[in-house]
Amino acid sequence: MTEKSTETKVEEAQAAALELAKYSDDRRSEALHAIADAIDESHDEILEANEVDVREGEKLLEAGEYSQALVDRLKLSPAKLESITEMVRSVAGQDDPLGRTRTARKLDDGLELYEQTVPIGVVGTIFESRPDALVQIAALSLKSGNAAILKGGSEASESNRVLYEIIREATADAPDGWAQLIEARADVDTILKMDDAIDLVMPRGSSQFVSYIQDNTSIPVLGHTEGVCHVYVDSEADLGMAEEIAYDAKVQYPAVCNAVETMLVHEDVAEEFLPAIAERYAEADVEVRGDEATRSIVDVGAATDEDWSTEYGDLILSVRVVDSLETALEHVTTYGSKHTESIVTDDADRAGTFMRSLDSASVFHNASTRFSDGYRFGLGAEVGISTGKIHARGPVGLEGLTTYQYYLQGDGHCVGTYAGADGTEYRHEDFDGSWTPGSLSE
Amino acid sequence: MTEKSTETKVEEAQAAALELAKYSDDRRSEALHAIADAIDESHDEILEANEVDVREGEKLLEAGEYSQALVDRLKLSPAKLESITEMVRSVAGQDDPLGRTRTARKLDDGLELYEQTVPIGVVGTIFESRPDALVQIAALSLKSGNAAILKGGSEASESNRVLYEIIREATADAPDGWAQLIEARADVDTILKMDDAIDLVMPRGSSQFVSYIQDNTSIPVLGHTEGVCHVYVDSEADLGMAEEIAYDAKVQYPAVCNAVETMLVHEDVAEEFLPAIAERYAEADVEVRGDEATRSIVDVGAATDEDWSTEYGDLILSVRVVDSLETALEHVTTYGSKHTESIVTDDADRAGTFMRSLDSASVFHNASTRFSDGYRFGLGAEVGISTGKIHARGPVGLEGLTTYQYYLQGDGHCVGTYAGADGTEYRHEDFDGSWTPGSLSE
């Protein structure tokens, strides 16, 4: 069998997308259950392929080119496969994101406009070496009626190939070619040029990688650059609460983008708060880097200007003492990445000012930054977290994979009727209703 | 006075955007009324500046470098200025697009998530030589809390400068620098590089120009490439209705993007329909270019393959006879630009198939394609029409100038509580409510 070209794969996906858009929610959900069942029945085959990837990963680890954390992410187990199929079934069970009427408006008698949610079309996804990511992204795409180009990390290539084949065979009733696997790095550059066929590119990975994608395509990009998240401990904070939040936000899982990287502490509470949290952090092996004021209170290393804009992704935290809420806001605006920021305070007005003043995707009051996540937000699974502001922001679930289309139902209406000084006036009355072909609601 | 650099202007806009985001709807609307009043009081000054532009435009017209239609668009009059201030006041009177709660969800007891609409931030707009465009875009930006970089066509530079100064002075109470005028073509290239400061670029103009913007920036672009719109006259069409719609869609205003460019006619009705509509078109000086089957029925010129994908923007129309609804759909999918398509039929099922099968921004049943417009759709004014599918689609009004932000209100909540096998389960219950700083709704 000769391998299809990337161009052919994308064209197939484009044709499939038009068909898939017409599938009912029942058919899309049935296909998802078929995927889950097929994965359940193929544990041996998947784990065998995954072992090949893991062995290669371990060789890289020994050669010092790969970390233990990456090998761990790569590795599948029967339990992990079960949690994957559970996720697929939960995506199947979610409310249909398509065909929702966002607005129904009577423009005039017999002329009704409906704004309805529809799939985006063809989505190009590029993700890290985690075989579960392939299944998750394919599942969310299918539920939302989108064709998906799937490019996983090369370290997971054996696992991805087997999982992709299982998905393809299990969805033989879905439009042929709705999911396409691409494997070579060069194929990414090919798809970036296919702006006529691909509607959205969603890269996951390092900021540099996402920037590379943004700089090399005219296709809209939904991506995640970096997560330099802040916790601000206000003068009016409950310091016991602040300690728990600051600890959870850094220690609970430091490798992820929603972990805190910089803590700002109001000077009124710094002397009481810093020694207590520093002790907790020391127990958890967190390296604290402080500004001068911090170091005059606790014995920690020095933070440089570079620290304020660094996403450590590790047990490292920079700390700055600020003289006011305003200085804290200025710091976040200057150095932050608009991902997630949290204020700890008992003063509602100060919380309001903090939250209204920042244009980060997520702004929290008295809660850990780690809540910034599609599952925790109740979006079901997530395809990624967006640090951009266009189309979708923060954790992106099924809704972020939809767009809308205007349906207008008339009865021979012409614009000429409404033109000029004597033209009929539009009515523009919103109503509750949904589109049915050929009939008027009101 | 030394002119500020473009970089300085954009930075000022960025700072102003953060302030403007906190303004109440009342303050934003008051500022809009101040703009309208100031324009009312400055007719002489505006018309004087406009005369300079028009004189230059007429010189270009004489030199054959400019069309009469463009001079007409450039020209202001007292009546036109009144319609401009009416538009500004109507934007002021629209519902506040900001602070709307799109979702309120209880994640757990005492932990509430709100998805709230917020401004996008800094919007870079580039528009054609129509002085009313500057006012319209500035008004929509202000109402939606966005700072705006305004780059108008150079032919309108005198008018734009005066209108900009009037707007700036009238909104002295708004955050300084919320609107910035740039004039040189080179400044456009400067702003395209400022992806850290500008959140969205909205170009209006030719497809080539919009493609140039898309290819030369990593800032998200909301644009309009072209409008190759279709009217499909089905076998089950009321032919009288089809005649009115096909006539209106082409003749009512042929220069605009929502005018029809290709008409598809089912073969069962072609012999009856084509002679009738050809006569109407001939009376209106419409040049019809037909495929072979069309030419066997009416005496018109030949359409080439290039015609099917051409946006004439003029009194020219290509016509093809198709053997089925499916062929019509295939034609639109192959040659269309995903702008607006209309089916004329009395058969609801066939209308449904047509509308569900096309992924154009607007799909109509028994109505003229010319309805595809922000004002007619009831969006108030429009900043443009998007032929992309990401963020905003079709006519873009105030809602397209907003994004959302997640507000999370907790009481010391940490993610650790919910982790692992014994972790607390999330509740994820949606409720009706809106965010108030520091207090819980439920």
Side-chain angles (χ1 to χ4, degrees):
Chain A
M1 192 182 99
T2 32
E3 171 73 349
K4 283 176 208 155
S5 74
T6 303
E7 285 85 352
T8 306
K9 289 179 182 178
V10 173
E11 280 158 19
E12 282 182 9
Q14 205 183 1
L18 286 174
E19 286 307 305
L20 192 56
K22 290 186 273 185
Y23 271 47
S24 68
D25 185 44
D26 282 351
R27 288 188 77 178
R28 285 177 268 123
S29 299
E30 263 168 39
L32 284 165
H33 282 291
I35 291 174
D37 293 345
I39 292 175
D40 278 346
E41 285 158 20
S42 316
H43 277 205
D44 292 349
E45 192 190 343
I46 299 166
L47 293 173
E48 211 170 285
N50 183 245
E51 241 180 74
V52 178
D53 288 331
V54 172
R55 268 200 305 272
E56 286 300 312
E58 280 166 348
K59 279 188 205 159
L60 291 170
L61 174 66
E62 278 165 34
E65 289 166 26
Y66 215 58
S67 73
Q68 184 61 49
L70 291 175
V71 174
D72 291 348
R73 280 196 189 189
L74 197 55
K75 200 176 171 67
L76 292 173
S77 64
K80 208 160 177 183
L81 286 174
E82 266 164 43
S83 78
I84 289 174
T85 52
E86 197 185 314
M87 176 274 296
V88 173
R89 291 191 177 102
S90 112
V91 169
Q94 286 196 49
D95 290 342
D96 187 6
L98 305 179
R100 293 187 189 170
T101 305
R102 292 174 22 152
T103 307
R105 181 173 300 143
K106 182 188 276 229
L107 306 190
D108 192 7
D109 288 328
L111 188 64
E112 293 179 354
L113 181 73
Y114 299 89
E115 187 187 331
Q116 304 243 111
T117 61
V118 295
I120 288 175
V122 180
V123 176
T125 65
I126 307 156
F127 46 92
E128 67 278 24
S129 292
R130 267 175 46 197
D132 47 328
L134 182 141
V135 184
Q136 186 177 39
I137 291 169
L140 287 164
S141 300
L142 182 55
K143 177 74 180 182
S144 55
N146 290 287
I149 314 291
L150 306 160
K151 165 73 176 82
S154 57
E155 295 82 0
S157 59
E158 293 295 325
S159 318
N160 284 342
R161 216 170 288 153
V162 167
L163 285 166
Y164 171 72
E165 277 307 319
I166 290 169
I167 290 172
R168 215 179 55 78
E169 281 168 29
T171 59
D173 287 344
D176 198 30
W178 75 271
Q180 299 282 349
L181 184 70
I182 64 172
E183 302 198 55
R185 180 68 177 70
D187 296 337
V188 172
D189 290 317
T190 305
I191 70 166
L192 293 184
K193 288 193 195 83
M194 298 187 73
D195 56 328
D196 280 347
I198 297 177
D199 297 295
L200 181 66
V201 176
M202 295 195 293
R204 311 208 300 202
S206 70
S207 328
Q208 293 94 309
F209 176 65
V210 174
S211 298
Y212 172 83
I213 300 285
Q214 283 169 332
D215 290 342
N216 286 282
T217 187
S218 58
I219 304 171
V221 178
L222 204 63
H224 166 268
T225 49
E226 44 186 355
V228 180
C229 302
H230 296 79
V231 168
Y232 165 59
V233 180
D234 184 48
S235 53
E236 310 303 315
D238 171 332
L239 297 185
M241 180 191 286
E243 197 180 308
E244 296 309 321
I245 287 175
Y247 185 85
D248 182 85
K250 181 78 253 182
V251 178
Q252 206 263 338
Y253 195 1
V256 287
C257 59
N258 56 20
V260 64
E261 307 295 359
T262 299
M263 181 167 70
L264 302 166
V265 181
H266 194 284
E267 59 180 15
D268 289 358
V269 295
E271 289 204 32
E272 185 181 347
F273 178 67
L274 283 175
I277 186 71
E279 203 183 312
R280 293 282 304 275
Y281 279 147
E283 282 164 18
D285 287 326
V286 176
E287 181 194 337
V288 175
R289 300 180 186 172
D291 72 334
E292 216 180 302
T294 302
R295 282 179 288 127
S296 75
I297 300 170
V298 287
D299 180 24
V300 297
T304 65
D305 236 36
E306 210 192 320
D307 280 292
W308 306 131
S309 48
T310 299
E311 180 177 18
Y312 303 114
D314 206 342
L315 287 172
I316 308 173
L317 181 82
S318 56
V319 179
R320 181 179 166 192
V321 174
V322 292
D323 59 3
S324 64
L325 170 56
E326 288 63 41
T327 308
L329 290 170
E330 214 179 285
H331 181 102
V332 176
T333 302
T334 309
Y335 298 105
S337 64
K338 305 189 179 177
H339 189 298
T340 302
E341 336 293 347
S342 180
I343 181 173
V344 186
T345 188
D346 283 344
D347 185 312
D349 287 343
R350 293 171 72 84
T353 301
F354 180 88
M355 293 163 88
R356 288 203 187 94
S357 300
L358 295 173
D359 72 338
S360 304
S362 300
V363 281
F364 295 175
H365 176 202
N366 290 346
S368 167
T369 55
R370 292 272 297 112
F371 282 106
S372 201
D373 164 276
Y375 170 68
R376 287 171 203 134
F377 274 9
L379 309 180
E382 73 184 25
V383 278
I385 293 191
S386 162
T387 46
K389 299 199 222 167
I390 302 306
H391 188 72
R393 218 176 168 190
V396 181
L398 288 171
E399 201 185 318
L401 288 171
T402 68
T403 181
Y404 57 88
Q405 206 173 9
Y406 283 109
Y407 282 36
L408 182 65
Q409 182 66 49
D411 188 27
H413 289 72
C414 292
V415 160
T417 315
Y418 305 86
D422 300 330
T424 307
E425 283 211 23
Y426 289 98
R427 296 182 51 165
H428 291 158
E429 294 160 5
D430 289 2
F431 62 91
D432 285 323
S434 61
W435 176 72
T436 317
S439 58
L440 296 166
S441 286
E442 291 245 300
Chain B
M1 193 184 98
T2 34
E3 171 73 348
K4 282 177 208 153
S5 73
T6 303
E7 285 85 352
T8 305
K9 290 178 182 177
V10 173
E11 280 158 20
E12 281 182 9
Q14 205 182 3
L18 286 173
E19 286 308 305
L20 192 55
K22 290 185 275 185
Y23 270 46
S24 68
D25 185 45
D26 282 351
R27 288 189 77 178
R28 285 177 268 123
S29 298
E30 265 169 37
L32 285 165
H33 282 289
I35 291 174
D37 294 345
I39 292 175
D40 279 345
E41 287 158 18
S42 317
H43 277 204
D44 292 348
E45 193 190 343
I46 299 167
L47 293 173
E48 211 169 284
N50 184 246
E51 241 181 74
V52 179
D53 288 332
V54 172
R55 270 200 304 272
E56 285 301 310
E58 279 166 349
K59 279 187 206 159
L60 291 170
L61 174 65
E62 280 165 33
E65 288 166 27
Y66 215 56
S67 74
Q68 185 61 48
L70 291 176
V71 174
D72 291 347
R73 280 195 191 190
L74 197 54
K75 200 176 171 67
L76 291 174
S77 64
K80 207 160 177 183
L81 285 174
E82 266 164 44
S83 81
I84 289 175
T85 53
E86 196 186 314
M87 177 274 296
V88 173
R89 290 190 177 101
S90 113
V91 169
Q94 286 198 47
D95 291 340
D96 188 6
L98 306 180
R100 293 188 188 167
T101 304
R102 294 174 22 152
T103 307
R105 182 173 298 142
K106 184 189 275 231
L107 305 190
D108 193 6
D109 289 326
L111 187 65
E112 293 180 353
L113 181 74
Y114 299 89
E115 188 187 331
Q116 305 243 111
T117 60
V118 294
I120 288 174
V122 180
V123 176
T125 64
I126 307 156
F127 45 93
E128 68 277 23
S129 293
R130 267 176 46 198
D132 48 326
L134 183 141
V135 184
Q136 186 176 41
I137 291 170
L140 288 164
S141 300
L142 181 56
K143 177 73 179 183
S144 56
N146 290 287
I149 314 291
L150 305 161
K151 164 73 177 81
S154 55
E155 296 81 3
S157 59
E158 292 296 324
S159 319
N160 284 342
R161 218 171 286 152
V162 166
L163 285 167
Y164 171 71
E165 278 306 320
I166 290 169
I167 290 173
R168 215 178 55 80
E169 281 167 30
T171 58
D173 287 344
D176 197 32
W178 76 270
Q180 300 282 349
L181 184 71
I182 64 172
E183 303 198 55
R185 181 65 177 71
D187 296 338
V188 172
D189 290 319
T190 305
I191 72 166
L192 294 183
K193 289 193 194 81
M194 296 186 75
D195 57 327
D196 280 346
I198 296 176
D199 297 296
L200 181 66
V201 176
M202 294 195 294
R204 311 208 300 201
S206 70
S207 328
Q208 294 94 309
F209 176 65
V210 174
S211 298
Y212 172 82
I213 300 283
Q214 284 169 330
D215 290 343
N216 286 282
T217 187
S218 59
I219 304 171
V221 178
L222 205 62
H224 166 266
T225 49
E226 44 186 355
V228 180
C229 302
H230 297 79
V231 168
Y232 165 59
V233 180
D234 185 47
S235 52
E236 310 303 316
D238 171 332
L239 297 184
M241 181 191 287
E243 199 180 309
E244 295 310 320
I245 287 175
Y247 185 84
D248 182 86
K250 181 77 256 179
V251 179
Q252 206 263 338
Y253 194 1
V256 287
C257 60
N258 56 21
V260 65
E261 307 295 0
T262 300
M263 181 167 69
L264 303 167
V265 181
H266 193 285
E267 60 181 14
D268 289 359
V269 296
E271 291 203 31
E272 185 180 348
F273 178 66
L274 283 175
I277 187 71
E279 204 183 313
R280 293 284 302 275
Y281 280 147
E283 283 164 19
D285 286 326
V286 175
E287 178 193 341
V288 174
R289 302 179 185 172
D291 71 334
E292 217 181 300
T294 301
R295 281 178 288 128
S296 76
I297 301 169
V298 287
D299 180 23
V300 297
T304 64
D305 235 34
E306 210 191 322
D307 281 290
W308 306 130
S309 47
T310 298
E311 180 178 18
Y312 303 113
D314 206 342
L315 287 173
I316 308 173
L317 180 82
S318 56
V319 178
R320 180 178 166 194
V321 174
V322 293
D323 59 3
S324 64
L325 171 57
E326 288 63 41
T327 308
L329 290 170
E330 216 179 283
H331 182 103
V332 176
T333 302
T334 308
Y335 299 105
S337 64
K338 304 189 180 178
H339 190 299
T340 303
E341 335 294 346
S342 180
I343 181 173
V344 186
T345 187
D346 284 343
D347 185 311
D349 286 343
R350 293 171 74 83
T353 300
F354 181 87
M355 294 163 88
R356 287 203 187 94
S357 300
L358 295 173
D359 71 340
S360 304
S362 301
V363 281
F364 296 174
H365 177 203
N366 289 347
S368 167
T369 54
R370 292 272 298 111
F371 282 105
S372 202
D373 164 276
Y375 170 68
R376 289 170 202 134
F377 274 9
L379 309 181
E382 73 184 24
V383 278
I385 293 191
S386 163
T387 46
K389 299 198 222 168
I390 302 306
H391 187 73
R393 220 177 166 188
V396 181
L398 287 171
E399 201 186 318
L401 288 170
T402 67
T403 180
Y404 58 87
Q405 206 174 11
Y406 284 111
Y407 282 36
L408 183 65
Q409 182 67 48
D411 188 27
H413 289 73
C414 291
V415 161
T417 314
Y418 305 85
D422 300 331
T424 307
E425 284 210 23
Y426 289 98
R427 295 179 54 164
H428 289 157
E429 294 160 8
D430 288 1
F431 62 92
D432 285 323
S434 61
W435 176 72
T436 317
S439 58
L440 295 168
S441 288
E442 292 245 300

